[in-house]
Amino acid sequence: MAENRAVWGIDIGQAGLKAVRLKYAAQAEQVLAVAYDYIPHPKILSQPDAIPRELIKQALDKFLERNDIAGDLVAISLPGHSALARFIQLPPVESSKVADVVKYEARQQIPFALEDVIWDFQTLGGGIEESGFMLGAEVGLFAMKTEQVYEALRPFTEAKVEVEVVQIAPLALYNFHCYDTLGVRRSTEDEFVAPEEHTIMLDMGTDNTTLMVSNGEKIWIRNVPVGGNHFTRALTKEMKLTFAKAEHLKCNATKSPDPRAVFQALRPVFNDYVAEIQRSIGYFSSVNREAKISKIVGVGNGFKLAGLQKFLQQNLQYDVERVETFDAVVGDTVLNAPVFQENIMTFAVPYGLALQTLQLTKLRTTLLPKEIAVARKIRQKKPWAVATAATLLCGLATSVAGYANASANVNTERFGEVESAADSFKSALGSGQSAYDSARGTHDGLVEKGTHLVSYLDERELWAELFRGVNEALPRAVGLQLDEDDLTKIPRVNVRSMTAQRYADLKTWFDGLRVQDKNFLTEDEKTKGPAGEGYVITLMCEHYYAPEDRLGGGVIFVRDTLVQNLRKPFIKQEDNFQGPVPVAILGISHPVITDNPPPVKVELYENGAPKAGNTPQRGFSPGIARPGFPRPGASGQPGTGPATAEAQFKLIDRTTFTLQFAYKPTLVKDRVMPETTEPVAGGEIPAVVGTPQTPAPIVNPGGGPGTASPAIPGSVPPENIPALGQ
């Protein structure tokens, strides 16, 4: 337990501050709710005329005036939509090396340098430890930009409030669900058997909704970009009301003179909300095929919207409940208070925060900056340090006094001359050593600089060759296919980004791959992985190709084209008039597909471009509509254009995937040429098989569909990629 101290869980959202104070009665093994506070903001933080920093400060100052928190621990929340949460299935790994493997995964999963984020991880359920190895373990990885964490802490540090735990709101909600709903306790955690059925928790906030799916062991989180404000803004638009009047009407829709008109104005938002939830549930079910969903539980004051619960139940075909009581806590003074009862759904997050800080929950990660935690420990230990230093000083003083007494009794006349000569020699030796060290440092620096300058001479063309080799290996439209408007009939792969990461030993990358990542490797590649210094090249790609037999589409199309081409020493595509292009002999090996989510349906307009607004996660620029067809709007609905023309579209599959391969830059003189004249793409045979290949000049490296260009977003130009050893 947290030293049997009381704990405040504080959640500052867009609409206000919610806080609950808990204590743990060890003898009764019971959590006590001893205090609470609810302070709404005068304005919602996201309103145009609101100043969030000032409103948060006002709320916190008011909270501190009304509550004495001296001696209590404090836990605060961070918004889930600003955080990153990843759940990683670890390969079999030594228990002592789990942290190293997770750090490697963190570098892959977090789209920022680790120095720019605060992150933490925890092993979740499902894994077993056997003979010193962790098997089948799932790890939760959580991170947020450093400046965002410090911005959330700023009002507390300015108010001189020490924060013990910093947790993202969805994980606090998970702790609440496990402890209060499922009855998971730290003392019986190892005995807990997760049910097969999962529960969906919807925490509707002002601008967003957190969707969390969990059975107490596994957890899956998604942010839904629809919140209470979207309903309010719909009323302001449809019924020509001010924001304040629309907010009041939304909360009292059933008491309005014309409830039917209110619900009619809200219906489009209801539909969008259900569609987003259905999309999230569909994706969850596609990656967790054995998971069964039993019900939906709503929290957050936004869930009090009249008609929402019934609408969700009818359209999602699940039982929909609202949190109306806290089952694992006692304290009638708090629990029966009218304000607490009225807003109980918004206290789920601070309740989960306080439970974690009492050390009663399964999940115990925190994004509290390490600098703050370390400084606090030093401060706490300072009194002991002062006492220890005083004791040492007393002992030292006694020792010095004894030494001085002995020294006074020694006759220095006999040794004075010898000591003087020794001191002179020592001084001369020190001066000589300093001069030598200075000269040696200058010499070593010049040698290092010279080595660095000439190191690029041998490798100056290698990165340009790599870009051209990857470009040549890409499938693309040729011949009559260039006139094809239907994307599903064009065997083309689009590269969205190309990045490189250096490894001191490529074996580290290869050993960290999952079993399913190696499915498309040859048996020889699986047996003999890459080793030694090199790079891992990552391509993030997409394609829409879907042959009529449907058997050669999706990731199979990638395997049979791009993956196979990367293994060939030379490639010559039909549209290449320059001769064979070196590929595998450049040092490329072990191409693997590390991410291949299920295809996503997008709407294809008659202009041959995917509909805007249907791009999942990563962006895709919508095409420009042909004359006579409207350009799709940001929400995916027809936008501007001739009113008489109706946009025609069909649903097609967008296949996205991430491909990685090892790259050990190989000089021309060191390349091993193939012993046989194996045909390359297009049926051509290299003209110079068996002899070193002189790199051909790059022709239009960024031109045309399906090319790997150094200019694409997120890519690394060759001049910015260091040579090996740098």
Side-chain angles (χ1 to χ4, degrees):
M1 298 309 105
E3 306 173 3
N4 202 28
R5 295 164 67 183
V7 172
W8 279 100
I10 303 175
D11 176 37
I12 303 179
Q14 292 285 316
L17 180 150
K18 295 83 65 179
V20 63
R21 184 173 185 254
L22 303 182
K23 290 192 72 174
Y24 184 74
Q27 292 183 344
E29 297 184 350
Q30 185 67 61
V31 176
L32 307 175
V34 294
Y36 79 98
D37 210 343
Y38 179 75
I39 304 173
H41 298 311
K43 297 179 180 179
I44 293 173
L45 300 186
S46 58
Q47 286 185 241
D49 58 341
I51 305 175
R53 182 175 293 184
E54 291 185 4
L55 292 172
I56 292 173
K57 183 180 184 302
Q58 290 173 12
L60 185 58
D61 289 344
K62 189 173 183 179
F63 168 78
L64 294 174
E65 289 174 7
R66 300 195 321 202
N67 302 277
D68 183 10
I69 68 170
D72 295 343
L73 300 176
V74 174
I76 68 170
S77 67
L78 299 172
H81 65 271
S82 302
L84 178 141
R86 294 286 188 271
F87 301 93
I88 308 162
Q89 198 76 28
L90 294 182
V93 61
E94 292 182 39
S95 301
S96 60
K97 296 184 178 178
V98 168
D100 296 333
V101 174
V102 173
K103 188 173 183 178
Y104 166 78
E105 287 289 346
R107 295 189 182 279
Q108 312 303 312
Q109 299 286 342
I110 299 174
F112 308 102
L114 293 189
E115 296 75 22
D116 297 333
V117 300
I118 298 173
W119 65 284
D120 200 0
F121 75 95
Q122 183 175 321
T123 303
L124 304 175
I128 59 172
E129 189 170 358
E130 189 174 310
S131 302
F133 279 80
M134 185 66 70
L135 307 175
E138 185 177 60
V139 169
L141 178 66
F142 315 106
M144 182 176 278
K145 293 290 291 292
T146 301
E147 63 259 27
Q148 292 177 309
V149 176
Y150 274 99
E151 184 62 28
L153 283 166
R154 184 193 302 274
F156 294 90
T157 54
E158 291 177 349
K160 295 181 170 50
V161 175
E162 289 194 345
V163 176
E164 185 73 15
V165 171
V166 179
Q167 183 62 276
I168 63 175
L171 299 184
L173 191 64
Y174 168 77
N175 279 332
F176 155 75
H177 175 61
C178 290
Y179 191 88
D180 197 90
T181 307
L182 299 178
V184 183
R185 303 291 185 265
R186 282 289 306 274
S187 59
T188 59
E189 186 179 326
D190 295 336
E191 303 170 7
F192 174 72
V193 179
E196 294 184 1
E197 296 182 336
H198 289 62
T199 298
I200 297 176
M201 298 205 74
L202 294 177
D203 184 4
M204 180 182 279
T206 304
D207 294 317
N208 300 273
T209 296
T210 295
L211 185 150
M212 184 200 71
V213 188
S214 178
N215 65 342
E217 182 177 87
K218 299 292 185 72
I219 177 175
W220 189 83
I221 301 170
R222 194 160 195 155
N223 181 65
V224 176
V226 180
N229 260 4
H230 292 78
F231 294 91
T232 306
R233 284 195 286 267
L235 291 176
T236 62
K237 181 181 179 181
E238 296 297 326
M239 306 188 76
K240 309 297 188 249
L241 301 172
T242 64
F243 189 91
K245 290 182 178 180
E247 183 71 18
H248 181 268
L249 182 61
K250 180 188 72 174
C251 298
N252 301 275
T254 56
K255 301 177 183 178
S256 69
D258 190 358
R260 185 179 180 87
V262 176
F263 288 115
Q264 196 64 32
L266 295 177
R267 179 169 288 277
V269 188
F270 274 117
N271 291 333
D272 289 344
Y273 192 56
V274 167
E276 289 288 346
I277 294 172
Q278 285 176 327
R279 188 177 295 113
S280 298
I281 293 174
Y283 184 78
F284 170 80
S285 299
S286 69
V287 297
N288 301 273
R289 299 186 182 277
E290 298 181 357
K292 299 178 181 178
I293 296 173
S294 61
K295 62 181 178 181
I296 295 174
V297 178
V299 298
N301 273 351
F303 215 81
K304 294 193 298 184
L305 180 65
L308 177 62
Q309 183 178 356
K310 184 178 180 181
F311 190 84
L312 291 176
Q313 191 159 304
Q314 290 175 344
N315 287 272
L316 298 176
Q317 298 298 304
Y318 292 111
D319 290 335
V320 181
E321 304 173 358
R322 300 195 304 186
V323 172
E324 296 178 347
T325 61
F326 291 161
D327 298 327
V329 63
V330 297
D332 292 344
T333 304
V334 172
L335 300 178
N336 294 331
V339 176
F340 187 88
Q341 277 290 317
E342 184 182 352
N343 298 281
I344 191 170
M345 287 193 293
T346 201
F347 283 98
V349 169
Y351 180 21
L353 290 171
L355 287 172
Q356 177 181 340
T357 312
L358 287 171
Q359 301 178 15
L360 298 172
T361 58
K362 290 183 63 177
L363 203 146
R364 300 174 292 278
T365 59
T366 179
L367 297 185
L368 181 70
K370 287 184 173 58
E371 297 85 359
I372 295 177
V374 171
R376 184 176 303 164
K377 287 182 179 178
I378 293 173
R379 218 168 35 251
Q380 291 171 348
K381 293 180 179 180
K382 198 173 282 185
W384 297 99
V386 171
T388 303
T391 303
L392 290 173
L393 284 172
C394 289
L396 182 61
T398 303
S399 176
V400 169
Y403 178 80
N405 184 52
S407 180
N409 295 321
V410 176
N411 187 352
T412 59
E413 294 179 359
R414 295 174 58 190
F415 308 101
E417 186 176 345
V418 176
E419 288 180 350
S420 178
D423 290 341
S424 298
F425 177 79
K426 185 177 180 181
S427 176
L429 179 63
S431 300
Q433 184 66 45
S434 297
Y436 172 81
D437 291 342
S438 177
R440 181 61 183 268
T442 303
H443 172 267
D444 292 345
L446 291 172
V447 170
E448 183 179 356
K449 184 180 290 186
T451 304
H452 179 76
L453 290 172
V454 301
S455 64
Y456 291 96
L457 295 178
D458 289 334
E459 299 185 359
R460 63 189 183 280
E461 294 178 337
L462 297 185
W463 290 102
E465 280 192 287
L466 175 67
F467 278 107
R468 187 168 188 248
V470 172
N471 177 58
E472 195 71 6
L474 290 169
R476 76 282 309 271
V478 294
L480 296 176
Q481 294 171 338
L482 294 172
D483 298 324
E484 182 63 59
D485 289 331
D486 189 347
L487 287 179
T488 65
K489 297 180 180 179
I490 304 175
R492 178 176 66 196
V493 168
N494 298 319
V495 178
R496 295 175 358 194
S497 70
M498 180 174 175
T499 58
Q501 182 175 352
R502 180 182 172 275
Y503 283 80
D505 189 353
L506 288 168
K507 187 175 184 296
T508 305
W509 164 75
F510 191 76
D511 291 345
L513 294 174
R514 302 170 300 177
V515 175
Q516 57 264 40
D517 296 337
K518 301 178 182 180
N519 285 341
F520 291 163
L521 289 178
T522 65
E523 289 303 319
D524 184 60
E525 288 173 334
K526 291 179 182 178
T527 304
K528 186 178 180 182
E533 195 177 28
Y535 296 86
V536 172
I537 308 298
T538 301
L539 305 178
M540 299 186 68
C541 312
E542 67 180 9
H543 78 82
Y544 301 84
Y545 184 61
E548 293 181 358
D549 61 5
R550 309 294 293 183
L551 297 177
V555 74
I556 302 300
F557 168 61
V558 180
R559 179 198 67 183
D560 294 342
T561 55
L562 178 57
V563 173
Q564 293 292 352
N565 289 344
L566 289 172
R567 293 193 177 103
K568 296 177 179 179
F570 299 88
I571 295 286
K572 184 177 184 300
Q573 299 275 11
E574 293 181 16
D575 59 349
N576 176 10
F577 305 100
Q578 302 294 320
V581 176
V583 182
I585 64 169
L586 299 175
I588 294 174
S589 68
H590 298 82
V592 295
I593 296 175
T594 58
D595 185 25
N596 175 229
V600 177
K601 294 289 185 183
V602 298
E603 296 171 1
L604 178 70
Y605 279 85
E606 284 191 358
N607 62 3
K611 177 184 175 184
N614 281 289
T615 305
Q617 304 292 326
R618 311 177 183 100
F620 187 95
S621 299
I624 300 175
R626 289 177 174 176
F629 290 92
R631 178 186 177 94
S635 65
Q637 303 300 322
T640 60
T644 58
E646 199 66 27
Q648 301 296 318
F649 60 83
K650 67 176 182 179
L651 292 177
I652 64 173
D653 287 337
R654 173 192 284 118
T655 299
T656 59
F657 64 93
T658 301
L659 185 146
Q660 292 186 323
F661 60 82
Y663 174 54
K664 300 182 68 172
T666 306
L667 301 177
V668 174
K669 63 182 178 62
D670 298 327
R671 294 172 187 172
V672 179
M673 297 298 160
E675 297 178 358
T676 60
T677 56
E678 180 185 355
V680 296
E684 299 283 344
I685 297 176
V688 289
V689 172
T691 61
Q693 176 75 11
T694 301
I698 296 179
V699 179
N700 192 21
T707 60
S709 169
I712 52 184
S715 65
V716 181
E719 64 267 23
N720 293 338
I721 303 178
L724 290 173
Q726 304 306 311

